[in-house]
Amino acid sequence: LIDALSKVIRDGSIHIDIQEFKTVGLEEDARSTFETALASRDFLEYVWKGEQVEFFIDLMKRTMLLSEWGRDSYLIPSLLRDTYVIPETGIPGHRCVYDFSSGFLPNGVFQRLLCLCVELSSRNGNGSTNLKLYENFASIELEKGSLVHLLENKEAQAI
């Protein structure tokens, strides 16, 4: 199980042989997965050798490691690499802070919250439009006219 998940959730700059994917015609799919965190169904089929693909996709959805992204494409938030820099003017709007400063912010909480928001957005028909996604920030329209900003601050142990 862990081996199968680690074929997808890994550091692509170290653990991926892009030539292998080029040989089978999936170079763009592999680049998309590890550069934009968007994995195609074909990419997942290939890395899991066509075995139990539905099970692994369902498992990753249920554990909030993956969200559907359009047709035959999936967002894997833990693969996001670009870091958002907060503007000096701050981020406008109401605030809700999940403060873990008295303990620690567990790894993966932000990514799972992001999966939930993407899922809710797509259920409400907003799909993948008007989204801004970073390793530590997301801006998502959950409903028409209802924009939510998520920001992970590791130093403050808060989201």
Side-chain angles (χ1 to χ4, degrees):
L1 187 62
I2 292 172
D3 184 52
L5 296 180
S6 69
K7 289 183 186 299
V8 176
I9 300 176
R10 57 177 39 190
D11 185 341
S13 65
I14 299 171
H15 302 289
I16 294 298
D17 177 10
I18 202 71
Q19 191 59 42
E20 173 189 353
F21 291 99
K22 191 174 191 175
T23 303
V24 295
L26 292 173
E27 178 182 9
E28 287 304 312
D29 297 66
R31 287 192 192 284
S32 175
T33 300
F34 295 105
E35 292 174 6
T36 67
L38 294 176
S40 69
R41 174 71 182 223
D42 291 339
F43 174 82
L44 297 175
E45 291 266 356
Y46 178 76
V47 296
W48 290 326
K49 298 178 178 23
E51 297 175 11
Q52 301 183 10
V53 175
E54 287 302 323
F55 168 77
F56 289 127
I57 289 173
D58 186 56
L59 175 69
M60 289 182 75
K61 281 183 192 176
R62 289 176 185 265
T63 56
M64 294 177 274
L65 295 172
L66 164 148
S67 291
E68 287 190 29
W69 186 272
R71 222 176 130 115
D72 291 328
S73 193
Y74 305 91
L75 172 68
I76 305 170
S78 59
L79 296 179
L80 290 167
R81 295 290 168 240
D82 293 336
T83 301
Y84 182 76
V85 178
I86 302 170
E88 287 184 23
T89 58
I91 301 171
H94 299 285
R95 297 188 188 282
C96 173
V97 177
Y98 297 99
D99 184 357
F100 289 83
S101 62
S102 64
F104 70 96
L105 177 61
N107 287 335
V109 171
F110 174 80
Q111 291 80 7
R112 285 173 171 81
L113 188 56
L114 177 55
C115 268
L116 285 173
C117 289
V118 167
E119 186 67 30
L120 181 60
S121 177
S122 74
R123 277 191 207 157
N124 290 330
N126 295 323
S128 58
T129 60
N130 297 328
L131 292 175
K132 294 178 184 165
L133 302 173
Y134 296 84
E135 178 183 29
N136 64 332
F137 175 81
S139 181
I140 303 170
E141 189 174 37
L142 296 181
E143 298 177 340
K144 295 288 183 208
S146 175
L147 195 62
V148 171
H149 304 294
L150 300 173
L151 176 67
E152 179 182 38
N153 184 334
K154 290 181 182 176
E155 289 89 31
Q157 295 290 301
I159 297 175

